[in-house]
Amino acid sequence: HVQLVESGGGSVQAGGSLTLSCVVSGYTYSTPCMGWFRQPAGKEREAVAVIDGEDSTGYADSVKGRFIISRDSAKNTVYLQMNSLKPEDSAMYYCAAGAEASVRPGRYDYWGQGTQVTVS
């Protein structure tokens, strides 16, 4: 079965950096489209960055120029490098896999358990 495992979250001061990792296992259909989403406490889940099967990327306006999504196919891992972090970036971060690189959470079939990012 398909499994996504995130890691790399933590607490950081404003202006700092973190890199999240998402290891994908069991996805045998093709190169999955991947998305990183975040959900601040009490708010809806929102797309942060997506990468399609050809490694084309897209970003939310709020993170453009600060966050970078990338993929290491040999390691079945997708990364989210987060720079110049702001307190408003604090949230639970989730990775998701599916057949379409979409900003809509419902378009993804598989989700990780989430990793918390706190920026103070």
Side-chain angles (χ1 to χ4, degrees), residues 57-108:
T57 59
Y59 298 91
D61 287 342
S62 59
V63 306
K64 278 181 182 176
R66 300 190 298 122
F67 289 13
I68 301 172
I69 187 172
S70 62
R71 185 201 309 264
D72 185 335
S73 296
K75 296 182 179 180
N76 294 321
T77 301
V78 175
Y79 302 96
L80 184 68
Q81 180 180 339
M82 305 185 294
N83 303 313
S84 301
L85 283 161
K86 304 174 181 179
E88 52 263 43
D89 294 318
S90 297
M92 185 70 78
Y93 282 71
Y94 300 89
C95 66
E100 177 184 346
S102 173
V103 297
R104 295 163 59 185
R107 301 300 293 175
Y108 291 86

Coordinates of all heavy atoms in Angstrom, one line a residue, residues 57-108:
T57 N 7.0 22.8 -11.2 CA 6.6 23.2 -9.9 C 5.6 24.4 -9.9 O 5.6 25.2 -10.8 CB 7.8 23.6 -9.0 OG1 8.5 24.6 -9.6 CG2 8.7 22.4 -8.9
G58 N 4.9 24.6 -8.8 CA 4.1 25.7 -8.6 C 4.0 26.1 -7.1 O 4.2 25.2 -6.2
Y59 N 3.8 27.3 -6.8 CA 3.8 27.8 -5.4 C 2.7 28.7 -5.1 O 2.2 29.5 -6.0 CB 5.2 28.6 -5.2 CG 6.4 27.7 -5.4 CD1 7.0 27.6 -6.6 CD2 6.9 27.0 -4.3 CE1 8.1 26.8 -6.8 CE2 8.0 26.2 -4.5 CZ 8.6 26.1 -5.7 OH 9.7 25.3 -5.9
A60 N 2.3 28.7 -3.8 CA 1.4 29.7 -3.3 C 2.1 31.1 -3.4 O 3.3 31.1 -3.1 CB 0.9 29.4 -1.9
D61 N 1.3 32.1 -3.6 CA 1.9 33.5 -3.6 C 2.6 33.8 -2.3 O 3.6 34.5 -2.3 CB 0.8 34.5 -3.9 CG 0.3 34.5 -5.3 OD1 1.0 33.9 -6.2 OD2 -0.7 35.0 -5.6
S62 N 2.1 33.3 -1.2 CA 2.6 33.6 0.1 C 4.0 33.0 0.3 O 4.7 33.5 1.3 CB 1.7 33.1 1.2 OG 1.5 31.7 1.1
V63 N 4.4 32.1 -0.5 CA 5.7 31.4 -0.2 C 6.7 31.6 -1.4 O 7.8 31.1 -1.4 CB 5.6 29.9 0.1 CG1 4.6 29.8 1.3 CG2 5.1 29.1 -1.1
K64 N 6.2 32.1 -2.5 CA 7.1 32.3 -3.7 C 8.3 33.1 -3.3 O 8.3 34.1 -2.7 CB 6.3 33.0 -4.8 CG 5.4 32.2 -5.6 CD 4.7 33.0 -6.7 CE 3.8 32.1 -7.5 NZ 3.0 32.9 -8.5
G65 N 9.5 32.5 -3.8 CA 10.7 33.2 -3.5 C 11.3 32.8 -2.2 O 12.5 33.1 -1.9
R66 N 10.6 32.1 -1.4 CA 11.1 31.6 -0.1 C 11.1 30.1 0.0 O 12.0 29.6 0.7 CB 10.2 32.2 1.1 CG 10.1 33.7 1.1 CD 9.4 34.2 2.4 NE 8.1 33.7 2.5 CZ 7.6 33.0 3.5 NH1 8.4 32.6 4.5 NH2 6.3 32.7 3.5
F67 N 10.2 29.4 -0.6 CA 10.1 27.9 -0.4 C 10.5 27.3 -1.8 O 10.2 27.9 -2.8 CB 8.7 27.5 -0.1 CG 8.3 27.8 1.3 CD1 9.0 28.7 2.1 CD2 7.1 27.2 1.8 CE1 8.6 29.0 3.4 CE2 6.7 27.5 3.1 CZ 7.4 28.4 3.9
I68 N 11.1 26.1 -1.7 CA 11.4 25.4 -2.9 C 11.0 23.9 -2.7 O 11.4 23.3 -1.8 CB 12.9 25.4 -3.2 CG1 13.4 26.9 -3.4 CG2 13.3 24.6 -4.5 CD1 14.9 27.0 -3.5
I69 N 10.2 23.4 -3.7 CA 9.9 22.0 -3.7 C 10.8 21.3 -4.7 O 11.0 21.8 -5.8 CB 8.4 21.8 -4.0 CG1 7.9 20.4 -3.9 CG2 8.0 22.4 -5.4 CD1 6.4 20.1 -4.0
S70 N 11.2 20.1 -4.3 CA 12.1 19.4 -5.2 C 11.9 17.9 -5.0 O 11.3 17.5 -4.0 CB 13.6 19.7 -5.0 OG 14.0 19.4 -3.7
R71 N 12.4 17.1 -5.9 CA 12.2 15.6 -5.8 C 13.5 14.9 -6.0 O 14.3 15.3 -6.9 CB 11.2 15.2 -6.8 CG 10.8 13.7 -6.8 CD 10.2 13.3 -8.1 NE 9.2 14.1 -8.6 CZ 7.9 13.8 -8.5 NH1 7.5 12.8 -7.7 NH2 7.0 14.6 -9.0
D72 N 13.8 13.9 -5.3 CA 14.9 13.0 -5.5 C 14.3 11.6 -5.8 O 13.9 10.9 -4.9 CB 15.8 12.9 -4.3 CG 17.1 12.1 -4.6 OD1 17.0 11.2 -5.5 OD2 18.1 12.3 -3.9
S73 N 14.1 11.3 -7.1 CA 13.4 10.1 -7.5 C 14.2 8.8 -7.0 O 13.5 7.8 -6.7 CB 13.3 10.1 -9.0 OG 12.4 11.1 -9.5
A74 N 15.5 8.9 -7.0 CA 16.2 7.7 -6.5 C 15.9 7.4 -5.1 O 16.0 6.2 -4.7 CB 17.7 8.0 -6.7
K75 N 15.6 8.4 -4.3 CA 15.2 8.2 -2.9 C 13.7 8.2 -2.6 O 13.3 8.1 -1.5 CB 15.9 9.3 -2.1 CG 17.4 9.2 -2.1 CD 18.0 10.3 -1.2 CE 19.6 10.2 -1.2 NZ 20.2 11.2 -0.3
N76 N 12.9 8.3 -3.7 CA 11.5 8.4 -3.5 C 11.1 9.5 -2.5 O 10.2 9.2 -1.7 CB 10.9 7.0 -3.1 CG 11.1 6.0 -4.2 OD1 10.9 6.3 -5.4 ND2 11.4 4.8 -3.9
T77 N 11.8 10.6 -2.6 CA 11.6 11.6 -1.6 C 11.3 13.0 -2.2 O 11.9 13.3 -3.2 CB 12.8 11.7 -0.7 OG1 13.1 10.4 -0.1 CG2 12.7 12.8 0.4
V78 N 10.4 13.7 -1.6 CA 10.1 15.0 -2.1 C 10.4 16.0 -0.9 O 10.2 15.6 0.3 CB 8.6 15.2 -2.5 CG1 8.3 16.7 -2.8 CG2 8.3 14.3 -3.7
Y79 N 11.0 17.1 -1.2 CA 11.5 18.0 -0.2 C 10.7 19.3 -0.3 O 10.3 19.7 -1.4 CB 13.0 18.3 -0.4 CG 13.8 17.0 -0.3 CD1 14.3 16.4 -1.5 CD2 14.2 16.5 0.9 CE1 15.0 15.2 -1.4 CE2 15.0 15.4 1.0 CZ 15.4 14.7 -0.2 OH 16.2 13.6 -0.1
L80 N 10.7 20.0 0.8 CA 10.2 21.4 0.8 C 11.2 22.2 1.6 O 11.3 22.1 2.9 CB 8.8 21.5 1.5 CG 8.2 23.0 1.4 CD1 7.9 23.3 0.0 CD2 7.0 23.1 2.3
Q81 N 12.0 22.9 0.9 CA 13.0 23.8 1.6 C 12.3 25.1 1.9 O 11.8 25.8 1.0 CB 14.2 24.0 0.7 CG 15.3 24.9 1.3 CD 16.5 25.1 0.3 OE1 16.7 24.3 -0.6 NE2 17.2 26.2 0.5
M82 N 12.4 25.5 3.1 CA 11.7 26.7 3.6 C 12.7 27.7 4.1 O 13.3 27.4 5.1 CB 10.6 26.3 4.6 CG 9.6 25.3 4.2 SD 8.3 25.0 5.4 CE 9.3 24.3 6.7
N83 N 12.8 28.9 3.5 CA 13.7 29.9 3.9 C 13.0 31.1 4.3 O 11.8 31.3 4.0 CB 14.6 30.2 2.7 CG 15.4 29.0 2.2 OD1 16.0 28.3 3.0 ND2 15.4 28.9 0.9
S84 N 13.6 32.0 5.0 CA 13.1 33.3 5.5 C 11.7 33.0 6.1 O 10.7 33.7 5.8 CB 12.9 34.2 4.3 OG 14.2 34.5 3.7
L85 N 11.7 32.1 7.0 CA 10.4 31.7 7.7 C 9.8 32.9 8.5 O 10.5 33.7 9.1 CB 10.6 30.5 8.5 CG 10.7 29.2 7.7 CD1 11.3 28.1 8.5 CD2 9.3 28.8 7.2
K86 N 8.5 32.9 8.5 CA 7.7 33.9 9.2 C 6.8 33.3 10.2 O 6.4 32.1 10.0 CB 6.9 34.8 8.2 CG 7.7 35.4 7.1 CD 6.8 36.1 6.1 CE 7.5 36.7 4.9 NZ 6.6 37.3 3.9
P87 N 6.4 34.0 11.2 CA 5.4 33.4 12.2 C 4.2 32.9 11.5 O 3.6 31.8 11.9 CB 5.1 34.5 13.1 CG 6.4 35.3 13.1 CD 6.9 35.3 11.7
E88 N 3.7 33.5 10.4 CA 2.5 33.1 9.7 C 2.7 31.8 8.9 O 1.8 31.2 8.4 CB 2.0 34.2 8.8 CG 3.0 34.8 7.9 CD 3.6 36.1 8.4 OE1 3.9 36.1 9.6 OE2 3.8 37.0 7.6
D89 N 4.0 31.3 8.8 CA 4.2 30.0 8.2 C 4.0 28.9 9.2 O 4.0 27.7 8.8 CB 5.6 29.9 7.7 CG 5.9 30.9 6.6 OD1 5.1 31.0 5.7 OD2 7.0 31.5 6.6
S90 N 3.7 29.2 10.5 CA 3.5 28.1 11.5 C 2.2 27.3 11.1 O 1.2 27.9 10.9 CB 3.3 28.8 12.9 OG 4.5 29.4 13.3
A91 N 2.4 26.0 11.1 CA 1.2 25.2 10.7 C 1.7 23.7 10.8 O 2.9 23.4 10.9 CB 0.8 25.5 9.3
M92 N 0.7 22.8 10.7 CA 1.0 21.4 10.4 C 1.2 21.3 8.9 O 0.3 21.7 8.2 CB -0.1 20.5 10.9 CG 0.2 19.0 10.8 SD 1.5 18.5 11.9 CE 0.5 18.4 13.4
Y93 N 2.3 20.7 8.5 CA 2.6 20.6 7.1 C 2.4 19.1 6.7 O 2.9 18.2 7.4 CB 4.0 21.0 6.8 CG 4.2 22.5 6.7 CD1 4.1 23.3 7.9 CD2 4.4 23.1 5.5 CE1 4.2 24.7 7.8 CE2 4.5 24.5 5.4 CZ 4.4 25.3 6.6 OH 4.5 26.6 6.5
Y94 N 1.7 18.9 5.6 CA 1.4 17.6 5.0 C 1.9 17.5 3.6 O 1.8 18.4 2.8 CB -0.1 17.3 5.0 CG -0.8 17.4 6.3 CD1 -1.3 18.6 6.8 CD2 -1.0 16.3 7.1 CE1 -2.0 18.7 8.0 CE2 -1.6 16.4 8.4 CZ -2.1 17.6 8.8 OH -2.8 17.7 10.0
C95 N 2.4 16.3 3.3 CA 2.6 16.0 1.9 C 1.5 15.1 1.4 O 0.9 14.3 2.2 CB 4.0 15.4 1.6 SG 4.3 13.8 2.4
A96 N 1.3 15.1 0.1 CA 0.2 14.4 -0.5 C 0.7 13.9 -1.9 O 1.5 14.6 -2.6 CB -1.0 15.2 -0.7
A97 N 0.2 12.8 -2.3 CA 0.5 12.2 -3.6 C -0.7 11.9 -4.4 O -1.8 11.5 -3.9 CB 1.3 10.9 -3.4
G98 N -0.7 12.0 -5.7 CA -1.8 11.7 -6.6 C -1.4 11.8 -8.0 O -0.2 12.0 -8.4
A99 N -2.4 11.7 -8.9 CA -2.2 11.7 -10.3 C -2.2 13.1 -10.9 O -1.9 13.3 -12.1 CB -3.3 10.9 -11.0
E100 N -2.5 14.1 -10.1 CA -2.6 15.5 -10.6 C -1.9 16.4 -9.6 O -2.2 16.4 -8.4 CB -4.1 15.8 -10.8 CG -4.3 17.3 -11.2 CD -5.8 17.6 -11.3 OE1 -6.6 16.7 -11.3 OE2 -6.1 18.8 -11.4
A101 N -1.1 17.4 -10.2 CA -0.5 18.4 -9.3 C -1.5 19.5 -9.2 O -1.6 20.4 -10.0 CB 0.8 18.9 -9.9
S102 N -2.3 19.4 -8.1 CA -3.4 20.4 -7.9 C -3.2 21.1 -6.6 O -2.6 20.6 -5.6 CB -4.7 19.6 -7.9 OG -5.8 20.5 -7.6
V103 N -3.8 22.3 -6.5 CA -3.9 23.0 -5.2 C -5.1 22.6 -4.4 O -5.3 23.1 -3.3 CB -3.9 24.5 -5.4 CG1 -2.6 25.0 -6.1 CG2 -5.1 25.0 -6.2
R104 N -5.9 21.7 -4.9 CA -7.1 21.3 -4.2 C -6.8 20.0 -3.5 O -6.4 19.0 -4.1 CB -8.2 21.0 -5.2 CG -8.7 22.3 -5.9 CD -9.5 22.1 -7.2 NE -10.7 21.3 -6.9 CZ -11.5 20.8 -7.9 NH1 -11.2 21.1 -9.1 NH2 -12.5 20.2 -7.6
P105 N -6.9 20.0 -2.2 CA -6.6 18.8 -1.4 C -7.3 17.5 -1.9 O -6.8 16.4 -1.8 CB -7.0 19.2 0.0 CG -6.9 20.7 0.1 CD -7.3 21.1 -1.3
G106 N -8.6 17.7 -2.3 CA -9.4 16.6 -2.7 C -8.9 15.8 -3.9 O -9.3 14.7 -4.2
R107 N -7.9 16.4 -4.6 CA -7.4 15.8 -5.8 C -6.3 14.8 -5.5 O -5.7 14.2 -6.4 CB -6.9 16.9 -6.8 CG -7.9 17.9 -7.2 CD -9.1 17.2 -7.9 NE -8.7 16.7 -9.2 CZ -9.5 16.0 -10.0 NH1 -10.7 15.7 -9.6 NH2 -9.1 15.5 -11.2
Y108 N -5.9 14.7 -4.3 CA -4.8 13.8 -3.9 C -5.4 12.6 -3.2 O -6.3 12.6 -2.5 CB -3.8 14.5 -2.9 CG -3.0 15.6 -3.7 CD1 -3.6 16.9 -3.8 CD2 -1.8 15.3 -4.2 CE1 -2.9 17.8 -4.5 CE2 -1.1 16.3 -4.9 CZ -1.6 17.5 -5.0 OH -0.9 18.5 -5.7

